[in-house]
Amino acid sequence: PAPPIMEGVKEHISVSLWAGDKPVGVITADMLLTQRKITPEQVEALRLFSSYAGVAIENARLIETLQRRTSELELATQRLDPESIARAVVRELEFVFPDTALLVMLSENDSMVISAANSLGMKCLEEARIPLGVSLLRSQVLLPSEFLRGKDFFVANDISEIKLPFFQAIAAAGFKSYAIGLMTQREEHVGAIVALRDSANGFSNYEILLLHTITDHLSVAFHNARLFERLQQTVDELRQMRAALIRQERLNALGQMASGIAHDINNALVPILTFAELLEGFNDDTLEEVTKHVKRAVDDIVTTVQRLRTFYRPRGPAEEFEPINLNQVVRQAISMTRPRWYDMAQREGVTIEVVEDFDETLISIMGNESELRQAFINLLFNAVDAIIAKGEKFGTITVRTRRLEEWAILEVADTGVGMDEETKQRCFEPFFTTKSETGSGLGLSMVYGIVQRHDGKIEVESELGKGTLFRIWFPLKKEVKPTETKPEIEIEKVPSLRILVIDDDPRVQEALRAMLEHLGHQPVIVDDGAKGIEAFKQAFENGFPFDMVITDLGMPKVSGAEVAKQVKELSLNTPVLVITGWGAEQKPVHADYALNKPVRLSALREAIAKVWKGKQ
């Protein structure tokens, strides 16, 4: 009898509710104002009811917990990152499978990578000396002989009997029972869930069925996450390709603009340089001093234009490449820049170390040695400036060469100030600089032009405050046997020649007229390519042909290349000399010689003598 809990209670009985060895509640009965007593039969019935009630209550609680965990698990599997899903799955399964080591593995090719584990799982891995994230062969984990018979779930009641490295390791860590569910979607293995317990026969049939069901559900989630991951990777690649194409188109447009600017500047410089040189013939001290300053200014402008030309200048048809030892040229560039990165840097309080990591088995590339050396020097100077700008006392420049399939790769990495995204996107543009008054903005654009001319490609990786890496790819090509060069022709006196001059710029026309007349020749000026061809044809048919043709290369409608071709078809022995602001290497195949603008009097005299002597 219990103490009265209510006035008038005559008799009280209490029965505990148990589910196995777990108390889940209490049933009480009270006899009130009555003379009746609880009979032994009633007590026995109450006890029998309580045994069923305890199990029912516990089952209801388990179902409620399972439903809540299932709902949370569904929310977790709606994520699109496989690693994140794996961690969420382990966290939620802990409540359904207590006292169990849990591992989630993700499939990669023929391996399984352990991606997530609960605390017991981590303890198992530590004692088995298996690090999280390790890649295991599928044959060591999944028992393929079982799966080949159409199973995607396997239970081992005593894993010590399985003679595979993974199982032996976890058995040594004190675990005996093993259950694995293979997540498969459309015949693709996406991963597995592993459960371990330290006792033999540790999993009931209900738990095995539950784990199997969860595995089937999660296979869809992991498969979708993998598909999204691949889609995201494809989108990222497309985004990078789009950015690269936009950058390439921008650089091409800038190259065309730079080409036009260089052409116009060179045309404008022709009369300035021509008349400055002609004025040197007068014995006047004042004129001599003035012309000296004019020529020096022209030389400075020509140098700037030549540097600009390296950004856009394509490889000319007559420009031949030679076998180049890439390691040797890079070493030369490092040696030549030593005063800048070692001596001068130390004077500024900065110690810079250059680390060389060269692939000595690298075969030769085809190229222009002086151009490549100049490009590498610019990259090294750029790295030095970036390290000094960072303001730290120590910096490192790492220069590395290696081979990847049919490419030779050069990398120049520095620990300098780095670049933000906008600077990284624009660093190859001509005249773009972050060095204010100290930079011309032509260094990296020149490097870009040289790489393009060598059929290569250049990449840049940079992070603000952490440094920059430039990676250049050069194609490995078979050596081309160079053509035999003709011996140098001695310059001799040339008779007075009747020369057809074709150029669409009046300034260049007058300059060429003045220089040719100064040299004793008889120029005939025509301002159009078509008119020039017609003038040459009429003179040839009338029996009074021109001795030579000098034509501009870049002209509207009919170019200098077409003029040279037409002249040679009419008279193969008539010398054709081309002048161009795009570089002498752009000489057309039908021309005999090419001169750079602005044309110097001495260079014109030498060119006329060479082509005239070659005609004889």
Side-chain angles (χ1 to χ4, degrees):
I5 60 173
M6 182 175 169
E7 186 177 356
V9 172
K10 298 297 185 181
E11 191 170 0
H12 172 85
I13 186 170
S14 178
V15 181
S16 297
L17 304 181
W18 293 81
D21 56 354
K22 179 180 179 181
V24 297
V26 176
I27 295 178
T28 61
D30 295 312
M31 300 299 294
L32 300 179
L33 300 174
T34 175
Q35 298 298 321
R36 297 179 59 187
K37 293 185 178 182
I38 298 177
T39 65
E41 290 79 9
Q42 290 174 324
V43 173
E44 187 62 30
L46 194 57
R47 285 175 178 170
L48 181 63
F49 174 76
S50 66
S51 64
Y52 287 108
V55 174
I57 290 171
E58 179 62 14
N59 285 343
R61 287 178 176 174
L62 287 173
I63 291 172
E64 183 182 22
T65 301
L66 182 60
Q67 287 176 340
R68 186 176 70 254
R69 293 297 170 190
T70 301
S71 176
E72 293 173 355
L73 190 60
E74 287 177 351
L75 290 174
T77 56
Q78 290 175 6
R79 308 181 186 197
L80 295 174
D81 173 26
E83 300 290 338
S84 176
I85 295 176
R87 291 191 295 269
V89 166
V90 166
R91 186 169 58 251
E92 299 303 330
L93 285 180
E94 273 192 307
F95 294 94
V96 183
F97 295 94
D99 303 321
T100 305
L102 296 167
L103 309 174
V104 174
M105 300 182 175
L106 297 180
S107 181
E108 289 186 5
N109 299 322
D110 292 327
S111 301
M112 281 287 186
V113 177
I114 304 176
S115 297
N118 66 347
S119 57
L120 280 176
M122 290 297 297
K123 180 181 178 182
C124 168
L125 294 176
E126 290 173 1
E127 293 181 359
R129 297 184 179 180
I130 301 174
L132 188 67
V134 71
S135 181
L136 301 168
L137 293 176
R138 191 173 295 158
S139 59
Q140 295 179 339
V141 180
L142 299 182
L143 296 178
S145 60
E146 296 294 333
F147 291 106
L148 287 175
R149 292 198 292 269
K151 296 182 179 179
D152 55 5
F153 199 85
F154 177 78
V155 178
N157 292 318
D158 189 355
I159 58 177
S160 62
E161 299 177 355
I162 304 175
K163 307 301 181 183
L164 289 174
F166 174 73
F167 292 90
Q168 293 295 308
I170 59 178
F175 291 87
K176 295 182 179 180
S177 297
Y178 172 89
I180 180 171
L182 180 62
M183 294 181 285
T184 305
Q185 187 69 18
R186 297 181 182 177
E187 300 182 356
E188 179 185 3
H189 300 317
V190 295
I193 298 176
V194 176
L196 302 165
R197 283 180 176 165
D198 56 7
S199 60
N201 301 305
F203 297 97
S204 66
N205 292 334
Y206 170 76
E207 289 175 321
I208 292 172
L209 179 61
L210 179 60
L211 188 61
H212 195 176
T213 303
I214 291 173
T215 301
D216 289 341
H217 170 73
L218 291 174
S219 64
V220 178
F222 278 104
H223 178 69
N224 291 340
R226 279 290 169 85
L227 289 178
F228 180 79
E229 193 175 49
R230 293 170 188 168
L231 177 62
Q232 189 66 43
Q233 183 179 358
T234 303
V235 170
D236 290 342
E237 290 174 356
L238 289 173
R239 186 181 293 113
Q240 292 173 4
M241 290 176 60
R242 178 177 177 272
L245 286 173
I246 291 174
R247 184 166 60 252
Q248 184 67 36
E249 287 301 316
R250 183 189 297 121
L251 291 173
N252 287 340
L254 286 168
Q256 293 176 5
M257 182 184 70
S259 172
I261 291 173
H263 183 269
D264 290 344
I265 291 175
N266 282 326
N267 279 349
L269 289 176
V270 170
I272 298 174
L273 181 61
T274 298
F275 293 112
E277 289 187 327
L278 292 177
L279 285 173
E280 286 182 326
F282 294 91
N283 294 322
D284 187 297
D285 293 339
T286 304
L287 281 178
E288 183 178 354
E289 185 66 23
V290 171
T291 54
K292 185 186 299 183
H293 288 300
V294 171
K295 289 182 66 178
R296 186 180 297 119
V298 170
D299 289 339
D300 290 342
I301 298 172
V302 168
T303 300
T304 301
V305 172
Q306 286 176 343
R307 293 178 65 192
L308 180 60
R309 282 182 55 247
T310 59
F311 169 70
Y312 69 83
R313 178 173 67 85
R315 182 181 174 186
E319 189 175 1
E320 294 182 354
F321 282 168
E322 299 176 350
I324 302 297
N325 185 320
L326 184 61
N327 291 341
Q328 180 179 337
V329 177
V330 175
R331 284 193 176 99
Q332 291 171 356
I334 293 173
S335 178
M336 293 172 66
T337 57
R338 181 181 175 85
R340 180 68 183 97
W341 59 261
Y342 186 77
D343 301 319
M344 294 176 64
Q346 284 192 344
R347 284 202 298 269
E348 297 181 39
V350 181
T351 299
I352 298 177
E353 180 187 8
V354 174
V355 178
E356 299 180 8
D357 181 14
F358 294 149
D359 180 358
E360 300 299 342
T361 65
L362 197 64
I363 65 174
S364 298
I365 65 172
M366 301 300 294
N368 182 304
E369 183 174 334
S370 62
E371 282 194 357
L372 291 175
R373 188 185 300 108
Q374 187 60 44
F376 303 154
I377 287 173
N378 270 275
L379 287 178
L380 291 169
F381 281 164
N382 214 62
V384 172
D385 291 341
I387 290 173
I388 293 175
K390 193 174 184 180
E392 296 181 353
K393 293 184 178 180
F394 301 98
T396 303
I397 301 173
T398 303
V399 184
R400 182 181 296 108
T401 62
R402 57 190 173 91
R403 176 175 180 171
L404 181 61
E405 298 176 350
E406 297 305 313
W407 294 90
I409 301 175
L410 168 68
E411 294 180 343
V412 178
D414 65 69
T415 58
V417 68
M419 294 183 281
D420 57 25
E421 191 61 31
E422 180 185 1
T423 303
K424 189 168 66 174
Q425 295 295 329
R426 299 188 59 192
C427 63
F428 296 118
E429 294 180 11
F431 305 116
F432 176 79
T433 180
T434 57
K435 301 175 185 178
S436 63
E437 300 297 327
T438 63
S440 66
L442 292 175
L444 287 179
S445 64
M446 185 204 72
V447 174
Y448 175 85
I450 291 173
V451 172
Q452 290 289 100
R453 227 168 10 262
H454 283 76
D455 299 325
K457 53 186 178 180
I458 184 168
E459 302 169 344
V460 56
E461 297 176 5
S462 187
E463 188 173 348
L464 204 59
K466 294 187 177 181
T468 301
L469 181 145
F470 287 98
R471 183 182 297 110
I472 305 177
W473 302 64
F474 294 108
L476 294 172
K477 294 182 178 179
K478 293 182 179 180
E479 181 178 340
V480 180
K481 186 178 180 180
T483 57
E484 295 184 2
T485 56
K486 296 181 180 180
E488 289 291 327
I489 302 174
E490 293 184 6
I491 299 176
E492 298 180 1
K493 187 175 180 180
V494 178
S496 178
L497 303 177
R498 186 166 176 264
I499 301 177
L500 176 63
V501 178
I502 308 172
D503 198 295
D504 61 320
D505 193 312
R507 298 168 298 181
V508 179
Q509 294 171 13
E510 292 305 314
L512 288 174
R513 183 197 301 274
M515 283 192 289
L516 290 171
E517 289 177 348
H518 180 78
L519 294 174
H521 301 298
Q522 308 160 45
V524 175
I525 308 297
V526 178
D527 62 359
D528 179 84
K531 293 178 182 178
I533 294 172
E534 186 62 29
F536 182 85
K537 185 184 296 184
Q538 290 181 4
F540 184 78
E541 292 175 350
N542 294 334
F544 192 54
F546 288 101
D547 298 309
M548 184 179 296
V549 175
I550 298 178
T551 178
D552 186 20
L553 179 58
M555 296 183 293
K557 298 181 181 178
V558 179
S559 68
E562 183 63 24
V563 169
K565 179 183 177 183
Q566 295 285 345
V567 167
K568 289 295 184 180
E569 288 179 355
L570 290 169
S571 176
L572 185 61
N573 293 326
T574 301
V576 178
L577 195 154
V578 171
I579 57 174
T580 173
W582 295 318
E585 65 279 351
Q586 301 299 316
K587 180 181 79 68
V589 294
H590 295 96
D592 297 283
Y593 201 84
L595 277 176
N596 282 322
K597 289 182 180 179
V599 181
R600 299 180 183 274
L601 184 61
S602 57
L604 182 61
R605 179 191 293 112
E606 180 182 344
I608 292 173
K610 282 187 176 181
V611 296
W612 181 254
K613 183 65 176 178
K615 173 188 174 182
Q616 305 305 310

